[in-house]
């Protein structure tokens, strides 16, 4: 998204006519890879183009789960370490139930 946003902004500036984007992947597969959180980025996209911001918002999926992994810092294992796993929907439900119980 960052590279595409930059390319879009450069083309809109009028100073640049052609932008080449390079990616290490040979094809787009939305089922692999990591999610992108666009909290502040959505405001930046709006500044670049309100229509681009709308297109990104329309194509996005609701956040369900956060899993944070990293490559091992030491040892011989190539298996990633899981640093965090958070079920967003479950956390929201628990928080709402807590609020209802406290207010109730």
């Amino acid at each position: 998204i960052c590279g595409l946003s930059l390319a879009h902004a450069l083309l809109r500036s009028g100073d640049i006519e052609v932008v080449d984007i390079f990616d290490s992947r040979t094809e787009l597969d939305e089922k692999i890879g990591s999610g992108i959180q666009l909290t502040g980025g959505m405001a930046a996209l709006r500044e670049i183009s309100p229509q681009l911001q709308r297109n990104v918002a329309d194509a996005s999926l609701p956040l369900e789960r956060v899993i944070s992994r990293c490559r091992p810092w030491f040892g011989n294992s190539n298996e990633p370490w899981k640093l965090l796993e958070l079920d967003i929907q479950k956390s929201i439900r628990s928080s709402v139930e807590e609020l209802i119980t406290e207010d109730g």
Side-chain angles (χ1 to χ4, degrees):
I1 297 258
C2 181
L4 293 174
S5 298
L6 175 61
H8 185 79
L10 290 171
L11 291 172
R12 285 199 51 197
S13 73
D15 297 330
I16 295 177
E17 294 180 16
V18 176
V19 175
D20 292 320
I21 299 174
F22 297 91
D23 195 319
S24 61
R25 294 169 293 179
T26 57
E27 60 187 42
L28 180 63
D29 184 352
E30 70 279 352
K31 292 185 174 114
I32 62 170
S34 60
I36 301 169
Q37 294 180 2
L38 294 174
T39 49
M42 291 301 280
L45 286 178
R46 184 178 56 245
E47 291 298 317
I48 294 169
S49 165
Q51 186 58 51
L52 177 61
Q53 180 199 34
R54 172 61 21 215
N55 291 348
V56 170
D58 290 345
S60 59
L61 300 171
L63 184 62
E64 294 178 7
R65 180 178 299 275
V66 174
I67 301 174
S68 178
R69 296 184 181 111
C70 73
R71 291 187 176 139
W73 302 320
F74 51 82
N76 296 327
S77 175
N78 288 328
E79 290 296 313
W81 291 349
K82 187 183 293 185
L83 303 175
L84 168 75
E85 183 168 1
L86 178 62
D87 183 328
I88 300 296
Q89 302 301 318
K90 182 178 178 182
S91 296
I92 290 171
R93 282 190 300 276
S94 295
S95 295
V96 169
E97 288 171 4
E98 235 177 78
L99 287 172
I100 292 171
T101 304
E102 287 175 9
D103 291 342

